[in-house]
Amino acid sequence: MTFWLNVVLATPAHSALAGPLTYKSDTEIAPGTLLRVPLGKREVLAVAWENLPDSGGLPEDKARQISAVLEGLSPLNTSWRKLTSFTAAYYQRSPGEVALAALPPQLRELSTLQLARRLKRKTADTSSTDSSADLPELSPQQASVLADFQADTRPALLFGATGSGKTEVYLRAAARVLALDPDAQVLVMVPEINLTPQLQSRFEARFAHLGRERVVALHSGLTPAQRLKNWLAAHSGQARLILGTRMAVLASMPRLRLIVVDEEHDPSYKQQEGARYSARDLAIYRARLEAEYAGSDQTACRVLLGSATPSLESWQACKVGRYQRLDMAERIGSTATAAPSDQTKANAGLPTVRGVDMNHQPKRCVIAPPLLEAIVQRIARGEQSLIFLNRRGYAPVLACHDCGWKSECPHCSAYRVFHKIDRSLRCHHCGFAERVPHACPACGNLDIAPVGRGTERLEEHLAELLAGVTRPDGGPVRIARIDADTTRLKGALEAQLAGVHAGQVDVLVGTQMIAKGHDFRHITLVAAINPDSSLFSSDFRASERLFSLLMQAAGRAGRDAKHSAASQMWVQTFYPTHPLFGALKNHDYPAFAEQLLEERQAASMPPFAYSALLRADAKTQEIAQGFLTAAIKAAIDQQLPGHAQVTAYPAVPLTIQRVANQERAQMLLESDSRVALQRFLAAWQPLLFETRRQAEFKSLTRWAIDVDPIAI
């Protein structure tokens, strides 16, 4: 007897094989089963998607037979398949592309025999029923938040100040879920594993009693073998707690009962290649699916979002009642006075924010004299300072002031950054690098000089300014730098952070890698050197991201209660009266959010409207923009569903319009209706294929739709 089934496999959305393909089998196969099937001359990994009553008109002699079933693996369940189907439909990709990307890459390479051997490997059960490790006493606000969370069923937003103890709330919520159900699983998501090593270590330490194999990580930093092992543990239910980055939201976890999304505002949760999904938004949808298939409220899956500076989307969802809002305004150990005012209570234990008007400082000053004096005072007291500059390298540009030559990248419309430590000019967009020339390539002038500052140059400048300063023990000041350049080697970040925690560093210089997620106990001063560049950006989300980043950076100061009263955040700016700095000074995120929401509503921007970008890459800007213009004209001519509610703006180049010799253009689409925008995009896909096949667009490299873009 012949059985027919549709399978999905890793084919790009923009290919002729984007949808499920029909195969035949001699035995009935359950949907969700992992298979190996022939495709062309290759044999590839696939997922059985649905059983069919017949071949659907496909001649049996032309139908291909599945090669093998990956036995020993239980089928991917219905809720997982529905999650991947929704992700593919909403973000305009193929189901197979999303489904196969969610599986560990090594599964594609293993034969059925190799997988069977891997599954036979037994791991020692190191679990223990002893979970009586000394737990920290909950603060009244932590206990209240946990009680409120357990009493509701909606997605919850934990709006907690930096240092208020949000991590302990995550730990207790996870512990309760795992204790109530012996098979329950908990997913804890972080923006980037490398930025939050302490969170990972705290979860592993707290749940060590479960056993090493029951607490696993899922992120791209793992080796292929580790990733497969941890995915198998999650899929089988052996792993009870899974800690991961955005990719983990699509992992198979059959008994998922709690999803924690730490720093839910972070843009790293939005995938920027392939299926451009938002892991935070998918976490909300997945919890709803898991609750639907669980069958009872007692086992429903909950979502706990956490942030000191929530995204405006989540903040608005709380305002209209879709999300539950949980507030923790005070830092752990704060010394708030009795019956304080609301604003004073909200600021209890948080660092004092001091603005430095750079218009009144010496010309070309990098570190203002008052700030330098404050750093020296910290060094004298044996305390640490953090200097934040979100630009790595020595200088963003190398220039000749005689002829005007600048270190432009030959492949991108951007400058190559000067890295002094290895004497290189490196493009941070395409990776092209060259040795620094001895003279100007255009005129031969020997006097070529760096323009602007990165963390590498700032570190050098601070060493010059603090050369005559000594530590309390009489030794020289110790300055360290943490950015993407200093942490390339495996284990480098952990070693550098250990040195900071051990007090081996007096002044720490770095990018956003050190501005969020770290619990530095001896830092009492944080300084933002050049935050002005984001104030007047063309990207409407730039000010939201800047405020979040500065609030997160400020939260690194005074986390030890004995230092909190003297902790400070210094902001050097040429625009001290900007409303953003006023809200930052008061640590008043609600006021800042309300102002931005009013502006967004007046301008019909997210979260009050919905948007998508159609992007195109080609050898010339004319071809890229021509494709976008022709595609939208075809949509209007054919009166696609939803077109009357969708506004399409003219095609324009991206801010950095050329990367790796590819010209990039984009077209923005907006609508007040999410449903109308989705209907339009779905109906537009066939027209995009047709337009791409036109002769004048044969040289188009690629095109892609980005739904709910985070940067425009």
Side-chain angles (χ1 to χ4, degrees), residues 5 7-9 23-25 29 33-39 41-48 64-71 73 100 103-116:
L5 67 157
V7 308
V8 297
L9 33 78
Y23 284 81
K24 62 182 180 180
S25 170
I29 296 174
T33 301
L34 291 177
L35 314 166
R36 298 199 69 83
V37 300
L39 181 67
K41 296 182 179 180
R42 298 177 298 144
E43 188 177 277
V44 298
L45 183 68
V47 181
R64 306 194 73 176
Q65 184 113 3
I66 66 164
S67 301
V69 173
L70 296 189
E71 297 182 357
L73 282 178
L100 273 294
L103 302 177
Q106 203 174 48
L107 266 182
R108 304 183 189 188
E109 305 165 6
L110 296 180
S111 66
T112 53
L113 180 60
Q114 289 171 323
L115 179 62

Side-chain angles (χ1 to χ4, degrees), residues 49 82 88 167 178 217 274-275 286 352 404 463 473 498 508 549 556 583 700:
W49 214 244
K82 193 167 183 178
T167 303
L178 297 179
R286 179 165 193 173
T352 302
D473 61 6
L508 177 61
L549 194 52
R556 300 316 106 201
L700 187 78

Side-chain angles (χ1 to χ4, degrees), residues 562-584:
K562 67 182 180 181
H563 295 310
S564 62
S567 64
Q568 293 181 337
M569 166 71 166
W570 290 63
V571 180
Q572 294 190 165
T573 176
F574 287 94
Y575 306 95
T577 60
H578 194 284
L580 183 148
F581 297 124
L584 181 68

Side-chain angles (χ1 to χ4, degrees), residues 154-215:
R154 294 171 294 170
L157 173 64
L158 178 56
F159 172 47
T162 53
S164 60
K166 294 189 293 295
T167 303
E168 186 61 34
V169 172
Y170 303 156
L171 289 163
R172 296 297 180 98
R176 180 178 184 274
V177 168
L178 297 179
L180 287 176
D181 183 349
D183 297 319
Q185 293 176 300
V186 173
L187 170 63
V188 180
M189 293 172 57
V190 293
E192 298 177 53
I193 283 287
N194 287 339
L195 299 185
T196 51
Q198 292 159 335
L199 183 68
Q200 180 176 2
S201 62
R202 284 189 65 179
F203 269 91
E204 289 175 346
R206 180 66 62 88
F207 294 100
H209 63 280
L210 295 177
R212 192 171 53 188
E213 301 301 324
R214 293 184 176 270
V215 181

Side-chain angles (χ1 to χ4, degrees), residues 134 204 465:
D134 291 336
E204 289 175 346
L465 293 175

